[in-house]
Amino acid sequence: MDTRINQFKQALLAHKQQLGLFSTLASPNLVELLAGCGFDWLLLDTEHSPSDMPEIVSQLQAIAALPCSAIVRPAWLDMVLVKRYLDAGAQSLLYPCIQTADEAAAAVSFTRYPPRGVRGVSGSTRAASYGLNNNYFRTAEDQICVLVQIETQRGLNNLEAIASVDGVDGVFIGPTDLAASMGHIGDALHPEVLSAIDDAFARLRDLGVPAGYLTLNEQEASRRIAQGVEFVGVATDTSIIMRGAKGLIDRMTAAPVAAHG
Ligand code: 3PY
Ligand code: MG
């Protein structure tokens, strides 16, 4: 057995654009449905979702059968959480709220075996095909993709230093927390927030570092896709379901009641 090629990472490093969505409902069945819809990637969230280890394993298994890449977002910059997700077979990680180059370096070190990093070693994990993959220790690192999320003013101030840390493969701008950090909580489309994000993407383009983003606003998503942002999340599972369900009942209740007979 060989280590799985990380298709998301390969495309990212080639600056090929990939569209995805955030999955927060901890449902392997929903992930299976969504992963078959044509998204390039699905982010399995554990920061703002009830997903714990068993749910993450089931969701990774559901996605593995489909032409869609999984990204796992740990709840925080935590070596223990990251070790467990990597052992469960996650290959791409999006770390929330990275604010300094030291934090970015720690994020990378959690994904590397000693002496290059601090990842604990076990060869009997799902990632190593339960011991069937004898090459796992030597090949794992190349297939791991480290993405860091900048979502505070402090993170933005340190953008170049963070993006230049060896082993950081991509930088994601998180508009919701960034808006709060800039005094505009709940208004991620505030002109000041948008202009800070424009500036961040321009700086990442100058550095040649792939960039990522999430917005639930379709116009804003289209604008960022047109700008060439490499991995854009265009919805969350909850936004799709909530809008579909609410829109349906609103339309049905607004329609004039047809007379029968
Ligand atoms: C944020 O916007 O704060 C996120 O974490 C995801 O986009
Ligand atoms: Mg956030």
Side-chain angles (χ1 to χ4, degrees), residues 10-257:
Q10 299 234 316
L12 187 76
L13 296 184
H15 293 269
K16 184 172 169 287
Q17 208 157 39
Q18 302 181 85
L19 304 186
L21 69 82
F22 275 45
S23 171
T24 66
L25 290 175
S27 162
N29 296 78
L30 183 55
V31 157
E32 190 172 33
L33 184 162
L34 294 170
C37 286
F39 295 100
D40 298 302
W41 54 269
L42 239 58
L43 179 130
L44 310 178
D45 194 20
T46 71
E47 186 192 11
H48 293 295
S49 119
S51 278
D52 271 320
M53 273 310 291
E55 292 84 12
I56 287 297
V57 173
S58 306
Q59 291 173 84
L60 288 171
Q61 287 168 335
I63 222 172
L66 291 155
C68 181
S69 297
I71 303 172
V72 173
R73 178 162 74 171
W76 205 243
L77 177 64
D78 182 313
M79 180 181 66
V80 176
L81 293 176
V82 168
K83 170 170 55 179
R84 300 191 78 202
Y85 296 139
L86 292 176
D87 282 355
Q91 291 185 306
S92 299
L93 298 171
L94 176 66
Y95 286 93
C97 202
I98 297 298
Q99 304 195 84
T100 65
D102 282 350
E103 289 176 356
V108 173
S109 79
F110 297 169
T111 69
R112 308 306 199 229
Y113 288 124
R116 291 167 53 70
V118 295
R119 179 178 174 188
V121 184
S122 165
S124 61
T125 60
R126 178 171 183 268
S129 303
Y130 306 101
L132 293 168
N133 180 355
N134 296 322
N135 292 324
Y136 183 70
F137 298 144
R138 282 190 291 105
T139 54
E141 177 180 324
D142 282 349
Q143 303 307 328
I144 289 174
C145 182
V146 176
L147 308 166
V148 295
Q149 215 174 315
I150 304 249
E151 45 187 349
T152 60
Q153 184 62 59
R154 185 168 174 226
L156 278 186
N157 296 344
N158 293 324
L159 180 72
E160 279 77 8
I162 291 169
S164 305
V165 167
D166 190 31
V168 167
D169 297 303
V171 174
F172 177 104
I173 307 297
T176 309
D177 276 298
L178 181 62
S181 153
M182 295 178 69
H184 301 297
I185 191 164
D187 191 4
L189 298 177
H190 188 283
E192 265 174 42
V193 179
L194 289 179
S195 105
I197 293 170
D198 283 334
D199 180 60
F201 285 138
R203 288 157 67 194
L204 288 168
R205 213 168 306 127
D206 286 347
L207 292 169
V209 173
Y213 192 54
L214 170 69
T215 176
L216 308 186
N217 179 294
E218 281 186 31
Q219 270 188 331
E220 171 67 355
S222 299
R223 196 163 78 88
R224 298 304 178 186
I225 292 165
Q227 280 178 354
V229 174
E230 280 85 350
F231 60 111
V232 179
V234 296
T236 61
D237 51 1
T238 48
S239 75
I240 291 173
I241 295 167
M242 182 274 283
R243 286 173 187 174
K246 187 81 175 72
L248 177 63
I249 192 62
D250 286 354
R251 287 193 301 282
M252 292 300 117
T253 50
V257 178

